[in-house]
Amino acid sequence: MASDLSLRIVIVDDSPVRAAILDEGLRESGFVNVLRLEGRNNLLERIYAIDPDVILIDLENPSRDTIEQMFQVSREVKRPVAMFVDQSDRKTIEDAIEAGVASYVVDGLRKDRVKPILETTISRFQAFARLKAELEEAKSQLEERKLVDRAKLILMKAKNIDEQTAYGLIRRTAMNEKKRLVDIAQSIITAAELLR
């Protein structure tokens, strides 16, 4: 993705001078779809309308409110975000990471650094997205396993059978009805709750 020169890149920057540094750095690296957004009114709506691949935010000396607004953008848009600031503190850096900012660059606004920072931003975002997807999958599997275990217990008590037999019954029913194990398990749990 980082070497794709057709990436849509949005620069959020109120300073024409600083925005020009980012813009020149990108265009000299071959990127052609570079848009600059000025002002912060309806920022999220404008970003959604553009649907960029990457967002570069430059905040020279931002207030806490401005930083929080940019963190909100990062949380909402689910795109690689690099943020350039002149000064920072540990708490702000932690908040930036928590908000999903892939690159938080302090005092590093130079046009020769823009491309490597862009590539790092995209790589970090993709790595984080993979980890997040794996975590969600693991959570989902755990929840499904809990439901199957609960359904097994219900069957074991109701039919006076052992765990392996209960699991086999759920599995066979799922295969016969062409449904997932968890769907059959949920049906057993729901039926048991209705019959209480």
Side-chain angles (χ1 to χ4, degrees), residues 21-35:
I21 294 170
L22 290 170
D23 190 79
E24 285 176 26
L26 291 167
R27 292 187 189 281
E28 287 178 9
S29 298
F31 295 99
V32 291
N33 293 323
V34 181
L35 298 168

Side-chain angles (χ1 to χ4, degrees), residues 59-75:
L59 304 169
E60 190 173 4
N61 285 311
S63 68
R64 188 70 205 161
D65 288 347
T66 301
I67 288 176
E68 184 49 45
Q69 183 186 17
M70 296 304 141
F71 288 169
Q72 182 186 2
V73 168
S74 180
R75 282 189 290 265

Side-chain angles (χ1 to χ4, degrees), residues 1-79:
M1 184 177 182
S3 60
D4 181 359
L5 298 177
S6 66
L7 288 174
R8 266 189 314 262
I9 303 170
V10 164
I11 299 171
V12 178
D13 196 334
D14 288 336
S15 164
V17 174
R18 294 172 63 88
I21 294 170
L22 290 170
D23 190 79
E24 285 176 26
L26 291 167
R27 292 187 189 281
E28 287 178 9
S29 298
F31 295 99
V32 291
N33 293 323
V34 181
L35 298 168
R36 177 179 170 221
L37 295 180
E38 292 180 65
R40 299 190 186 108
N41 289 336
N42 302 318
L43 185 59
L44 264 176
E45 289 81 6
R46 289 188 289 159
I47 289 174
Y48 279 130
I50 296 167
D51 192 23
D53 298 304
V54 184
I55 302 167
L56 304 180
I57 300 172
D58 180 46
L59 304 169
E60 190 173 4
N61 285 311
S63 68
R64 188 70 205 161
D65 288 347
T66 301
I67 288 176
E68 184 49 45
Q69 183 186 17
M70 296 304 141
F71 288 169
Q72 182 186 2
V73 168
S74 180
R75 282 189 290 265
E76 297 287 329
V77 297
K78 307 212 180 324
R79 293 285 189 272

Side-chain angles (χ1 to χ4, degrees), residues 99-156:
V101 173
S103 295
Y104 189 80
V105 183
V106 180
D107 196 25
L109 185 59
R110 292 195 333 252
K111 68 179 183 180
D112 63 315
R113 294 187 65 205
V114 174
K115 185 179 180 192
I117 289 171
L118 179 83
E119 292 172 340
T120 302
T121 299
I122 293 169
S123 293
R124 282 187 185 158
F125 177 82
Q126 290 172 337
F128 183 74
R130 274 193 305 274
L131 286 174
K132 193 172 178 183
E134 288 171 8
L135 178 62
E136 290 303 317
E137 177 66 23
K139 282 182 182 176
S140 175
Q141 288 177 355
L142 183 61
E143 288 304 314
E144 289 180 9
R145 186 179 178 119
K146 285 180 182 176
L147 288 174
V148 171
D149 286 347
R150 194 167 154 206
K152 282 191 299 187
L153 283 175
I154 291 168
L155 288 177
M156 289 164 64

